[in-house]
Amino acid sequence: MARFDPLAELTTALQRLPGIGARSAQRLAYHLLKTPREEIDALCAALLSVKERVTYCSICSNITDVDPCSYCTAPERDSRLICVVEQPENVAAVERTRGFKGRYHVLTGAIAPLQGIGPDDLKIKSLLSRVAGEGAKVDEVILATNPTVEGEATALYLARLLKPLGVRVTRIGMGVPVGSDLDYADEFTMSKAMEGRREM
Ligand SMILES: [Zn+2]
């Protein structure tokens, strides 16, 4: 019968996290073993409250602890401008430029047929109703999906759906390295990408 091994359990759990390989998981597990009890308690509490308190915005699908999120309700933000990104963390990348004062829409992924992710798995319907719904006053949709094969395909797909709605559709400019995630774009590169956006 297998004996319960707490350290092995922890290592296995950590290894399920993205970007954590076997070696890193083991290093983290040993580090946590030596961490004072109070810090472990605080970490556990933070993990649980993220699961219990953080939810998705019913308008833009960004992560938030209040619904609608602060980006959707901020009166100083321009509702006529929507920046579409793949993941909530991409919102942070655009925010770092401090130049964008519109609103966001998080798709929660990109179209990736090989991974079985189709348009219906993404928050596309809610985007279309924000653009074409009753009382909608959107002038421009900026497609800031990642510069990857999936991100580009998703941008093309969205442009085809959005343009007939009479809205200006733009794609962020190059400069963000092809094949990378927007998260890795520094503030300057991201600012240039937003400034250099082109009509689709
Ligand atoms: Zn929102």
Side-chain angles (χ1 to χ4, degrees), residues 33-53:
L33 193 64
K34 286 181 279 180
T35 302
R37 173 69 202 230
E38 313 81 75
E39 279 180 43
I40 296 291
D41 286 341
L43 177 62
C44 291
L47 288 172
L48 287 172
S49 79
V50 126
K51 261 341 244 187
E52 284 158 9
R53 306 238 340 256

Side-chain angles (χ1 to χ4, degrees), residues 57-62 68-72 104:
C57 174
S58 55
I59 298 174
C60 72
S61 303
N62 194 13
C69 76
S70 56
Y71 295 117
C72 286
Y104 290 98

Side-chain angles (χ1 to χ4, degrees), residues 20-36:
I20 307 284
R23 291 271 302 274
S24 306
Q26 197 174 47
R27 202 162 50 232
L28 280 170
Y30 278 106
H31 172 81
L32 292 167
L33 193 64
K34 286 181 279 180
T35 302

Side-chain angles (χ1 to χ4, degrees), residues 146-158:
N146 291 333
T148 56
V149 175
E150 292 83 8
E152 294 296 345
T154 307
L156 281 171
Y157 180 85
L158 290 176

